[in-house]
Amino acid sequence: MRSNQDSRLFILVSHCLKYFLLALVGFAIAYVISMTFGAAHIALMLLQFVFASGWRLGLILFCLIAITVIFESFR
């Protein structure tokens, strides 16, 4: 492998980060739209779901990013 190629772990983490951030933006848009149309109970359920699962997924993604940085620095 050439030294300027990206590793599979780096590609995986970058795709996971992209889709995680896109999901957060999607939930934010859905929250604003549901509050606009007066569906506060749906917005509160959505907000609880995002907080319950979002921070866990974000923590796992942060750990993957840290592992990738360590492996890439050894390369």
Side-chain angles (χ1 to χ4, degrees):
M1 181 181 338
R2 295 188 325 239
S3 63
N4 61 354
Q5 280 183 327
D6 292 333
S7 67
R8 289 183 184 169
L9 182 62
F10 181 78
I11 293 170
L12 173 74
V13 169
S14 64
H15 282 256
C16 289
L17 181 64
K18 176 176 73 172
Y19 291 125
F20 178 72
L21 292 176
L22 282 173
L24 286 180
V25 169
F27 282 127
I29 290 170
Y31 179 76
V32 169
I33 289 174
S34 64
M35 289 300 287
T36 303
F37 290 126
H41 61 283
I42 295 173
L44 291 176
M45 287 182 354
L46 182 66
L47 192 62
Q48 289 174 354
F49 171 73
V50 170
F51 280 150
S53 62
W55 73 271
R56 289 184 180 108
L57 289 173
L59 185 63
I60 291 170
L61 188 59
F62 178 75
C63 291
L64 278 174
I65 290 170
I67 291 169
T68 303
V69 167
I70 291 169
F71 281 155
E72 288 292 322
S73 68
F74 285 140
R75 243 176 55 158

